[in-house]
Amino acid sequence: MLAAVKTSRIPIRVARQAVKVAGQRHVVVSAVRRRDIRGIQSAAQTERDTITRLLYSIGTKREVERHLRIFSSASHPTSPAKFAVIKVGGAVLGELDELALSLSFLYRVGLYPVILHGAGPQLNDIMEREGVVPDYIDGIRVTDAKTLQIARRVFHEENLKLVGALEKLGTRARPITSGVFTADYLDKEKYRLVGKITKVDKRPLEASIRAGALPILTSLAESPDGQILNVNADIAAGELAKELEPMKIVFLNDKGGLFHGVTGEKMDVINLDEDFDTLMKEPWVKYGTKLKLREFKELLDHLPRSSSVAVISASSLQKELFTDSGAGTLIRRGYKLFKHDNIEAIGADRFRQVVHDRDPEVLAGLQSVTGVLNDLKKTPYTIYGDDPLDVIAVVSHPEGETPVMTKLLASRSGVLNNVTDNVFNSIKKDHRKLFWTTHAEDENRAWHFERADGSFTRAGRSLFWYGVHDVAEVERIIKDFEAKGRIERSFLPVGPSAPPHRAAVAAAPAGAKAYSTLALCVPGSKRGYATSATDGPVSTEIKRVALIGARGYTGQALTSLLSSHPHIDLTHVSSRQLAGYPLTGYTKHSVDYTNLSHEDVEQLEKSGEVDAWIMALPNGVCKPYVDAVDRGSAERKGEKSVIVDLSADYRFEKGWTYGLPELYGRENIRNSKRISNPGCYATSAQMLIAPLIKHVGGLPTVFGLSGYSGAGTLPATDPDGRPTTVPKVTPQSLKHGVKPYSLTDHIHEREAGFHLSDLLPSGASPLKVAFIPAVTPWFSGIISTASIPLNGNLTAREVIAFFEEKYQGDKLVQIIKEVPQLPAIENKHTWTVGGFQVHSEGNRVVIVGGLDNLLKGAATQCMQNLNLALGYDEYAGIPIDPK
């Protein structure tokens, strides 16, 4: 953690020329109207490829592409500011050209950070020239009216300088000097016009990114009555990060990191869960360093574990973001590690699941899970790992004998979170000597080489060890292993040791690690970026998914969600109108639309090329495709694929599981291969009625208002001739009013009553629901108002309690007291319920629920069902809105 890091940079002359050329290309492409949109996309991709290739000069191709993929998948069209918040110190603004160049590189590869800058040194210089003496109390600048007047002028000037420098490089940027931060006085008597942020409005930032421009902010805030207040830029960046929950929070300073107070070396990584308490006790950690560490911990405690802080210089930004070795100081929460001498301490079922999902011997059919468990019993052992079981290592250590690491199993999250190195270091603390083996073809062999003192390969398997430097002793230890059956393959006589792994490291390019970082079964990175951890025995195996019917709005929403899913690979996308065109919105790799026939689907299923099918087709169209999958399944070897159907075709069919996890249970979905996704209106109606199912005393009536996207789309072509979609219903056709339709016998009316009846006691009469829909002039979002007669008197407090009990622990349910409004629903992955009111006679309750018809009403719910059916965590790949 304390090792100094040698930084590597793209030569500034080459980089500047590349950005200049890229900027010229951008102007040409945007100025010339192309008839073939693929030509424009090709030029844009060429520009991105050019910049990406330049990044290869600071790291390996695999490193750069992996980090690009991770960062690109962090944001979503509904939440575009999830990549990074970059706080630029005032001293860094003095190196404006280098700063602008670094930010332009991010823009050119399609990444949009939110940039917030200070201007402390510039402000001090001007105040000194104007004869104003700075005053500080507790390290906070006392800001009177004169100081604030100068500060506003300086902030605006520096903001425009940075925007101008970016625009010269062809990078669009938008100055945002107000309207984001709302603040109260921190202490008006003591600090005067200094603010404490109470609210962050992210809408101007997201609007800037959607318009293709980098948002450039100052840290000035306004009070509710309009008074401008000064806010420390570091604090403003922290509050901004808490609101946006980005993957990275970057603090650019002129020092380039945090430094050890005794050795003077740069600290590479700080894992707060493991290191914070120890660091705070160090005598050299005091004053500003202690304050910074506390601020970073407080910030990260408010954010997902996928977020991390980096302290670096502007010139090292690319190396920090796109290489495993990094350049500055990386601070993250990490995980607590454990070690146990029996599997019961972590849960036998959880351990079995990890072995089942990750052990390469088990996956190859060379060993069974039971065989692994039986082998454990042969010698004393210790299991090392982290709380979520992202990494598990097993070390066999009979008394008086040399220990052997028999298993090292890491999930994708464990690889990206650097948990593997932490676990290995924990093993090294306990064992001065260690032997272990891997397959000779393991793409992560260099990782093992770096951690071993010696190694050699024989008959397709490599043996590694550390702590033993004499070949004769190595031979003696291996003879003992073979005599006692502790290793499977004969490695005698011992060949030459150390050189191969030293050569592997030497062969690596400058600034790059000499090992792969992509495999899931073995670790592979020194530094990485966290992914969300999940509880319980869930799979992390990569599965292939085909999407049939991707042209419509729901298909587009599904594409975005699949792009950010940690374990799903979208391999086939079918659309008759778009066949041959590239799929947009999916960033893991390039995918072209195809027009899959029923025969194609049958053959793909038969050959085992698809693990799950998503049918996003209109009602009445899905059956031939399902029949094709069924025919292919009959001849398929191994496990059959999963189908999730978003149409209404199978919502009443026996043999299909109705996929509304919050109401009808997860286990049925986990055990099903055929899942019908509920309708959007029907989802909200059922969730409104279900908590009160035992108290319903008459016909519940639900009135639903839906955005016009729910009415579907029609095929069309854009001005460049590319097939596209247009809404069937437009705000203009509605004359900006509301249009009720299907006033009786709407299919969602039958659907809601049919499935809610499963919640009634045995022998009870089926429940009927009255439903009246209406289409509105907003794009997406359903607001449903339910009027429910009761069979006895209830209070509003009791009704709320029933809802809280029913949906306890459901991450996609928001319970509020007020009536949900459209902003709380549109572009959200949750179902929100509120406005609980009971009639004065106590015998009728009115409740309002809302969801986005394209997300929780369709795509998000499909992802829940797909995750459960494929053995993943239910919420994998779904952005969880804060409650």
mmCIF file of all heavy atoms in Angstrom, residues 12 45 92 100 108 124 165 218 285 298 301 314 328 341 363 375 380 478-479 534 561 603 719 814 817 831 847 858:
data_model
loop_
_atom_site.group_PDB
_atom_site.id
_atom_site.type_symbol
_atom_site.label_atom_id
_atom_site.label_comp_id
_atom_site.label_asym_id
_atom_site.label_seq_id
_atom_site.Cartn_x
_atom_site.Cartn_y
_atom_site.Cartn_z
ATOM 1 N N ILE A 12 2.663 14.854 -24.342
ATOM 2 C CA ILE A 12 1.672 15.921 -24.487
ATOM 3 C C ILE A 12 1.568 16.422 -25.921
ATOM 4 O O ILE A 12 0.490 16.775 -26.393
ATOM 5 C CB ILE A 12 1.993 17.079 -23.515
ATOM 6 C CG1 ILE A 12 0.804 18.057 -23.467
ATOM 7 C CG2 ILE A 12 3.267 17.800 -23.897
ATOM 8 C CD1 ILE A 12 0.895 19.013 -22.308
ATOM 9 N N GLN A 45 -16.746 6.292 -34.240
ATOM 10 C CA GLN A 45 -16.055 5.153 -33.651
ATOM 11 C C GLN A 45 -14.564 5.215 -33.964
ATOM 12 O O GLN A 45 -13.718 4.878 -33.133
ATOM 13 C CB GLN A 45 -16.659 3.852 -34.175
ATOM 14 C CG GLN A 45 -16.064 2.603 -33.533
ATOM 15 C CD GLN A 45 -16.324 2.560 -32.046
ATOM 16 O OE1 GLN A 45 -17.414 2.852 -31.583
ATOM 17 N NE2 GLN A 45 -15.303 2.191 -31.271
ATOM 18 N N VAL A 92 -4.403 23.645 -9.617
ATOM 19 C CA VAL A 92 -4.402 22.880 -10.874
ATOM 20 C C VAL A 92 -4.879 23.753 -12.030
ATOM 21 O O VAL A 92 -4.457 23.561 -13.179
ATOM 22 C CB VAL A 92 -5.289 21.627 -10.728
ATOM 23 C CG1 VAL A 92 -5.343 20.841 -12.024
ATOM 24 C CG2 VAL A 92 -4.766 20.755 -9.602
ATOM 25 N N ALA A 100 -7.163 20.764 -19.431
ATOM 26 C CA ALA A 100 -8.139 20.659 -20.522
ATOM 27 C C ALA A 100 -7.854 19.446 -21.395
ATOM 28 O O ALA A 100 -8.771 18.748 -21.853
ATOM 29 C CB ALA A 100 -8.129 21.937 -21.354
ATOM 30 N N ARG A 108 -13.494 12.372 -25.446
ATOM 31 C CA ARG A 108 -13.311 11.719 -26.745
ATOM 32 C C ARG A 108 -13.583 10.224 -26.690
ATOM 33 O O ARG A 108 -13.878 9.615 -27.719
ATOM 34 C CB ARG A 108 -11.888 11.951 -27.262
ATOM 35 C CG ARG A 108 -11.607 13.402 -27.611
ATOM 36 C CD ARG A 108 -12.493 13.881 -28.730
ATOM 37 N NE ARG A 108 -12.365 15.308 -28.937
ATOM 38 C CZ ARG A 108 -13.184 16.030 -29.684
ATOM 39 N NH1 ARG A 108 -14.197 15.444 -30.285
ATOM 40 N NH2 ARG A 108 -13.010 17.315 -29.806
ATOM 41 N N ASN A 124 -6.923 34.585 -3.587
ATOM 42 C CA ASN A 124 -5.969 35.221 -2.675
ATOM 43 C C ASN A 124 -5.121 36.267 -3.388
ATOM 44 O O ASN A 124 -4.842 37.343 -2.839
ATOM 45 C CB ASN A 124 -5.068 34.168 -2.033
ATOM 46 C CG ASN A 124 -5.797 33.347 -0.979
ATOM 47 O OD1 ASN A 124 -6.815 33.776 -0.433
ATOM 48 N ND2 ASN A 124 -5.292 32.151 -0.700
ATOM 49 N N ALA A 165 -10.922 26.710 -22.830
ATOM 50 C CA ALA A 165 -9.813 25.808 -23.165
ATOM 51 C C ALA A 165 -10.323 24.481 -23.699
ATOM 52 O O ALA A 165 -9.729 23.898 -24.619
ATOM 53 C CB ALA A 165 -8.941 25.590 -21.927
ATOM 54 N N THR A 218 -18.985 25.743 -10.427
ATOM 55 C CA THR A 218 -18.296 26.387 -9.319
ATOM 56 C C THR A 218 -18.959 25.920 -8.023
ATOM 57 O O THR A 218 -20.013 25.288 -8.044
ATOM 58 C CB THR A 218 -18.398 27.917 -9.405
ATOM 59 O OG1 THR A 218 -19.767 28.308 -9.199
ATOM 60 C CG2 THR A 218 -17.939 28.401 -10.767
ATOM 61 N N VAL A 285 -0.051 10.898 11.240
ATOM 62 C CA VAL A 285 -1.365 11.263 10.701
ATOM 63 C C VAL A 285 -1.994 12.284 11.651
ATOM 64 O O VAL A 285 -2.510 11.928 12.719
ATOM 65 C CB VAL A 285 -2.271 10.026 10.544
ATOM 66 C CG1 VAL A 285 -3.652 10.440 10.068
ATOM 67 C CG2 VAL A 285 -1.650 9.047 9.560
ATOM 68 N N GLU A 298 -16.174 9.558 5.632
ATOM 69 C CA GLU A 298 -17.564 10.003 5.766
ATOM 70 C C GLU A 298 -18.259 10.034 4.412
ATOM 71 O O GLU A 298 -19.420 9.651 4.276
ATOM 72 C CB GLU A 298 -17.581 11.402 6.418
ATOM 73 C CG GLU A 298 -18.956 11.870 6.868
ATOM 74 C CD GLU A 298 -19.732 12.608 5.790
ATOM 75 O OE1 GLU A 298 -19.103 13.105 4.824
ATOM 76 O OE2 GLU A 298 -20.966 12.685 5.890
ATOM 77 N N ASP A 301 -18.779 6.336 3.167
ATOM 78 C CA ASP A 301 -19.805 5.664 3.973
ATOM 79 C C ASP A 301 -21.207 5.980 3.469
ATOM 80 O O ASP A 301 -22.149 5.226 3.718
ATOM 81 C CB ASP A 301 -19.687 6.067 5.441
ATOM 82 C CG ASP A 301 -18.552 5.340 6.153
ATOM 83 O OD1 ASP A 301 -18.030 4.356 5.582
ATOM 84 O OD2 ASP A 301 -18.174 5.763 7.259
ATOM 85 N N ALA A 314 -3.415 16.334 -12.458
ATOM 86 C CA ALA A 314 -4.118 16.368 -13.747
ATOM 87 C C ALA A 314 -3.365 15.599 -14.813
ATOM 88 O O ALA A 314 -3.966 14.934 -15.662
ATOM 89 C CB ALA A 314 -4.324 17.815 -14.181
ATOM 90 N N GLY A 328 -2.053 7.814 -8.619
ATOM 91 C CA GLY A 328 -2.131 8.582 -7.389
ATOM 92 C C GLY A 328 -2.450 7.688 -6.210
ATOM 93 O O GLY A 328 -1.931 6.596 -6.079
ATOM 94 N N ASP A 341 -11.557 -22.051 10.532
ATOM 95 C CA ASP A 341 -11.005 -23.403 10.389
ATOM 96 C C ASP A 341 -12.090 -24.436 10.114
ATOM 97 O O ASP A 341 -11.854 -25.636 10.236
ATOM 98 C CB ASP A 341 -10.210 -23.792 11.631
ATOM 99 C CG ASP A 341 -11.042 -23.741 12.905
ATOM 100 O OD1 ASP A 341 -12.269 -23.513 12.811
ATOM 101 O OD2 ASP A 341 -10.461 -23.916 13.991
ATOM 102 N N LEU A 363 -16.208 -26.968 -12.641
ATOM 103 C CA LEU A 363 -16.828 -26.497 -13.879
ATOM 104 C C LEU A 363 -16.426 -27.357 -15.068
ATOM 105 O O LEU A 363 -17.203 -27.522 -16.008
ATOM 106 C CB LEU A 363 -16.440 -25.041 -14.133
ATOM 107 C CG LEU A 363 -16.981 -24.014 -13.127
ATOM 108 C CD1 LEU A 363 -16.392 -22.636 -13.391
ATOM 109 C CD2 LEU A 363 -18.500 -23.955 -13.183
ATOM 110 N N ASP A 375 -12.298 -33.731 0.408
ATOM 111 C CA ASP A 375 -10.863 -33.453 0.459
ATOM 112 C C ASP A 375 -10.509 -32.530 1.623
ATOM 113 O O ASP A 375 -9.426 -32.641 2.214
ATOM 114 C CB ASP A 375 -10.390 -32.823 -0.855
ATOM 115 C CG ASP A 375 -10.335 -33.831 -1.999
ATOM 116 O OD1 ASP A 375 -10.388 -35.039 -1.717
ATOM 117 O OD2 ASP A 375 -10.253 -33.401 -3.168
ATOM 118 N N PRO A 380 -6.028 -30.617 8.458
ATOM 119 C CA PRO A 380 -6.463 -29.333 9.020
ATOM 120 C C PRO A 380 -6.356 -28.248 7.945
ATOM 121 O O PRO A 380 -5.437 -28.265 7.121
ATOM 122 C CB PRO A 380 -5.463 -29.089 10.155
ATOM 123 C CG PRO A 380 -4.904 -30.426 10.480
ATOM 124 C CD PRO A 380 -4.883 -31.197 9.203
ATOM 125 N N ILE A 478 8.281 -31.514 -2.062
ATOM 126 C CA ILE A 478 7.397 -32.109 -3.063
ATOM 127 C C ILE A 478 7.326 -33.632 -2.894
ATOM 128 O O ILE A 478 6.256 -34.234 -3.040
ATOM 129 C CB ILE A 478 7.865 -31.736 -4.483
ATOM 130 C CG1 ILE A 478 7.726 -30.221 -4.695
ATOM 131 C CG2 ILE A 478 7.061 -32.481 -5.541
ATOM 132 C CD1 ILE A 478 8.252 -29.721 -6.010
ATOM 133 N N LYS A 479 8.464 -34.284 -2.576
ATOM 134 C CA LYS A 479 8.434 -35.723 -2.299
ATOM 135 C C LYS A 479 7.478 -36.025 -1.152
ATOM 136 O O LYS A 479 6.718 -36.997 -1.195
ATOM 137 C CB LYS A 479 9.839 -36.215 -1.948
ATOM 138 C CG LYS A 479 10.776 -36.372 -3.134
ATOM 139 C CD LYS A 479 12.149 -36.875 -2.676
ATOM 140 C CE LYS A 479 13.106 -37.028 -3.854
ATOM 141 N NZ LYS A 479 14.450 -37.483 -3.415
ATOM 142 N N THR A 534 -23.284 -8.840 -3.356
ATOM 143 C CA THR A 534 -24.605 -9.339 -3.015
ATOM 144 C C THR A 534 -24.490 -10.380 -1.929
ATOM 145 O O THR A 534 -23.479 -11.039 -1.773
ATOM 146 C CB THR A 534 -25.275 -9.977 -4.251
ATOM 147 O OG1 THR A 534 -24.413 -10.986 -4.759
ATOM 148 C CG2 THR A 534 -25.522 -8.946 -5.336
ATOM 149 N N LEU A 561 -30.096 -1.603 -19.741
ATOM 150 C CA LEU A 561 -29.914 -2.376 -18.513
ATOM 151 C C LEU A 561 -28.950 -3.538 -18.741
ATOM 152 O O LEU A 561 -28.090 -3.821 -17.897
ATOM 153 C CB LEU A 561 -31.262 -2.899 -18.020
ATOM 154 C CG LEU A 561 -32.170 -1.895 -17.316
ATOM 155 C CD1 LEU A 561 -33.543 -2.496 -17.065
ATOM 156 C CD2 LEU A 561 -31.558 -1.425 -16.001
ATOM 157 N N GLN A 603 -32.467 -23.306 -34.033
ATOM 158 C CA GLN A 603 -31.098 -23.798 -34.157
ATOM 159 C C GLN A 603 -30.207 -23.237 -33.052
ATOM 160 O O GLN A 603 -29.362 -23.954 -32.498
ATOM 161 C CB GLN A 603 -30.538 -23.410 -35.532
ATOM 162 C CG GLN A 603 -29.124 -23.924 -35.790
ATOM 163 C CD GLN A 603 -29.014 -25.445 -35.664
ATOM 164 O OE1 GLN A 603 -29.887 -26.177 -36.092
ATOM 165 N NE2 GLN A 603 -27.934 -25.918 -35.054
ATOM 166 N N PRO A 719 -34.337 11.202 -40.991
ATOM 167 C CA PRO A 719 -33.920 11.954 -42.195
ATOM 168 C C PRO A 719 -32.756 11.332 -42.941
ATOM 169 O O PRO A 719 -32.564 11.610 -44.123
ATOM 170 C CB PRO A 719 -33.537 13.324 -41.615
ATOM 171 C CG PRO A 719 -34.339 13.452 -40.363
ATOM 172 C CD PRO A 719 -34.414 12.064 -39.799
ATOM 173 N N GLN A 814 -40.793 2.064 -2.893
ATOM 174 C CA GLN A 814 -40.645 3.280 -2.104
ATOM 175 C C GLN A 814 -42.002 3.593 -1.479
ATOM 176 O O GLN A 814 -42.993 3.729 -2.198
ATOM 177 C CB GLN A 814 -40.218 4.455 -2.987
ATOM 178 C CG GLN A 814 -38.889 4.252 -3.688
ATOM 179 C CD GLN A 814 -37.752 4.961 -2.965
ATOM 180 O OE1 GLN A 814 -37.850 5.243 -1.779
ATOM 181 N NE2 GLN A 814 -36.686 5.248 -3.677
ATOM 182 N N LYS A 817 -45.367 9.245 2.342
ATOM 183 C CA LYS A 817 -46.655 9.662 2.914
ATOM 184 C C LYS A 817 -47.450 10.525 1.947
ATOM 185 O O LYS A 817 -48.674 10.450 1.901
ATOM 186 C CB LYS A 817 -46.420 10.404 4.230
ATOM 187 C CG LYS A 817 -45.889 9.504 5.330
ATOM 188 C CD LYS A 817 -45.790 10.231 6.667
ATOM 189 C CE LYS A 817 -45.296 9.269 7.764
ATOM 190 N NZ LYS A 817 -45.172 9.945 9.078
ATOM 191 N N TRP A 831 -41.228 1.136 -7.725
ATOM 192 C CA TRP A 831 -42.663 1.419 -7.595
ATOM 193 C C TRP A 831 -42.835 2.245 -6.334
ATOM 194 O O TRP A 831 -42.342 1.862 -5.267
ATOM 195 C CB TRP A 831 -43.459 0.112 -7.497
ATOM 196 C CG TRP A 831 -44.943 0.336 -7.287
ATOM 197 C CD1 TRP A 831 -45.841 0.797 -8.201
ATOM 198 C CD2 TRP A 831 -45.692 0.089 -6.092
ATOM 199 N NE1 TRP A 831 -47.089 0.861 -7.662
ATOM 200 C CE2 TRP A 831 -47.034 0.430 -6.356
ATOM 201 C CE3 TRP A 831 -45.353 -0.381 -4.828
ATOM 202 C CZ2 TRP A 831 -48.042 0.301 -5.398
ATOM 203 C CZ3 TRP A 831 -46.349 -0.502 -3.868
ATOM 204 C CH2 TRP A 831 -47.681 -0.163 -4.158
ATOM 205 N N ILE A 847 -55.478 5.075 -2.260
ATOM 206 C CA ILE A 847 -54.020 5.027 -2.266
ATOM 207 C C ILE A 847 -53.538 5.318 -3.686
ATOM 208 O O ILE A 847 -54.202 4.945 -4.668
ATOM 209 C CB ILE A 847 -53.498 3.649 -1.827
ATOM 210 C CG1 ILE A 847 -54.220 3.164 -0.579
ATOM 211 C CG2 ILE A 847 -51.996 3.683 -1.572
ATOM 212 C CD1 ILE A 847 -54.058 1.685 -0.323
ATOM 213 N N ALA A 858 -41.860 -2.832 -16.997
ATOM 214 C CA ALA A 858 -41.451 -3.673 -18.136
ATOM 215 C C ALA A 858 -39.996 -4.124 -17.994
ATOM 216 O O ALA A 858 -39.720 -5.215 -17.511
ATOM 217 C CB ALA A 858 -41.661 -2.916 -19.453
#
